[in-house]
Amino acid sequence: MRLRTPLALFGAALLVVVGPPLLSTGDGSGTGTQIPGLRFMVPNTPGGGYDITARTLAKNAEDAGLTHNIEVFNLPGAGGTVGLTRLVGEHGNGKLALSMGLGVVGAVHTNKAPSTLADTTPIARLTEEPDIVVVAKDSPYRTVADLLAAWKKDPARVPVGGGSSPGGPDHLAPMLMARAAGIAPKTVNYVPFDGGGELLASILGNKVGFGVSGLGEYRDQIEAGELRLLAVTGPKRVPGLDAPTLREAGLDTEFTNWRGIVAPPGLSDTERDKLTGLVRELHGTKEWKESMRKNGWDDALLVGEPFGDFLDEQDRRVATVLKELGL
């Protein structure tokens, strides 16, 4: 496996590689997508982005008749590297996959994990989405300008919570925000949580000054008025949400996150092709397209070896950015 291609955070456009359309009988038998006993491991707590992605994928695949009875289970710890180590230890297991993303890339560096993504079998990058900057509905910060004024005055007294370990997306985004605002990243009081589900309670309880997480994780709370959305970190506004981009708010930076799937090492070609084939088939279904729309995810499909190259580049890029930020 490997890590390649800077994310939108670094100003590069992501390539979308889409396989040729495949015909399906509706029960998965015609395309070989049936994988009895398939399990998806989520390396953080319920309610986070990896969890939502895995459970959405499983439900959509079952509803579309591509495969059946997918089990989704959580194995949190150390920013996702506990789950990664477990996956790597399942050498040759073609019925196990890990829901992961940029957060795991960063956690491998900051936790000095014994296993890396280079030890896995790359299956596919699925989605891309911006992070969001949110506060509780009763927060004194009503705009990004309000937040920045307080943050610049005393960074330590305005803690920022994120659903990833240092080096992950919810850490990198506020660090880049800080640098663009003239705040030394080393002075930022970053409070890591093991996924967006854990972070939510601290935002709602005003235990942190603001939170940074994925859009899909908190869209329901934003629409219900429980969270106030101050900004989106991507290059453009999100349709249906009244929030500026960071650039529109005066910060010369942008950031997007991505999520994907890897499998254990040592798979046969047939086992690997079963998993990549399932993803390719799912990509064209109405169920997956509707879930993408509902969650505000952008299509970023990249399958097999090209995804492995992307992972290589991401690994190198995260290491470089952490060094540039003095972190």
Side-chain angles (χ1 to χ4, degrees):
M1 195 230 66
R2 28 243 121 114
L3 286 133
R4 204 164 276 171
T5 305
L7 37 157
L9 146 64
F10 310 111
L14 290 173
L15 295 176
V16 177
V17 179
V18 181
L22 301 174
L23 298 177
S24 173
T25 63
D27 64 1
S29 59
T31 57
T33 59
Q34 290 287 347
I35 308 176
L38 179 61
R39 307 173 78 211
F40 274 101
M41 186 195 312
V42 176
N44 59 14
T45 54
Y50 301 150
D51 188 69
I52 293 171
T53 301
R55 294 182 190 279
T56 299
L57 187 157
K59 185 178 187 306
N60 289 170
E62 292 178 0
D63 289 348
L66 299 180
T67 193
H68 300 285
N69 300 320
I70 301 173
E71 178 188 351
V72 179
F73 68 100
N74 298 78
L75 184 63
T81 57
V82 169
L84 174 63
T85 300
R86 161 74 180 277
L87 183 88
V88 171
E90 295 275 345
H91 189 278
N93 185 352
K95 297 180 183 297
L96 181 66
L98 180 74
S99 178
M100 50 73 70
L102 178 60
V104 177
V105 178
V108 166
H109 284 275
T110 56
N111 289 303
K112 297 179 172 58
S115 299
T116 74
L117 288 165
D119 299 320
T120 70
T121 298
I123 300 301
R125 186 185 67 194
L126 298 170
T127 64
E128 182 187 24
E129 70 171 344
D131 262 4
I132 52 175
V133 180
V134 292
V135 296
K137 63 180 179 182
D138 57 349
S139 168
Y141 311 129
R142 305 197 65 82
T143 66
V144 176
D146 293 339
L147 172 60
L148 290 178
W151 204 20
K152 288 179 180 180
K153 185 176 180 180
D154 192 347
R157 291 179 64 85
V158 185
V160 49
S164 59
S165 295
D170 300 349
H171 172 248
L172 292 176
M175 294 303 160
L176 291 165
M177 287 173 57
R179 185 171 68 175
I183 300 169
K186 284 187 176 181
T187 68
V188 172
N189 182 6
Y190 178 73
V191 183
F193 294 84
D194 203 355
E198 281 193 358
L199 171 62
L200 179 60
S202 288
I203 301 174
L204 293 175
N206 289 305
K207 302 285 179 57
V208 293
F210 65 105
V212 175
S213 191
L215 170 60
E217 294 166 76
Y218 292 159
R219 188 161 193 152
D220 288 347
Q221 288 80 10
I222 292 168
E223 293 177 348
E226 297 174 6
L227 292 176
R228 181 182 301 144
L229 176 61
L230 299 185
V232 297
T233 67
K236 59 185 179 181
R237 290 191 177 218
V238 175
L241 296 178
D242 184 20
T245 65
L246 292 178
R247 291 194 190 281
E248 289 175 329
L251 296 177
D252 188 19
T253 191
E254 64 184 48
F255 176 89
T256 56
N257 187 17
W258 58 267
R259 297 191 180 94
I261 303 168
V262 294
L267 300 193
S268 67
D269 289 348
T270 298
E271 289 171 324
R272 184 198 61 223
D273 292 347
K274 276 265 191 180
L275 288 167
T276 57
L278 175 61
V279 171
R280 286 186 185 276
E281 277 286 299
L282 178 69
H283 179 260
T285 65
K286 67 180 188 301
E287 289 85 356
W288 180 248
K289 291 177 180 178
E290 174 58 22
S291 291
M292 295 265 293
R293 185 199 64 76
K294 180 180 177 182
N295 287 294
W297 296 337
D298 291 325
D299 187 3
L301 186 68
L302 195 61
V303 178
E305 278 302 303
F307 178 48
D309 293 340
F310 172 81
L311 290 175
D312 278 345
E313 185 68 31
Q314 290 291 281
D315 184 57
R316 290 193 291 270
R317 191 60 176 167
V318 166
T320 299
V321 170
L322 288 172
K323 184 177 180 180
E324 289 175 352
L325 293 174
L327 301 171

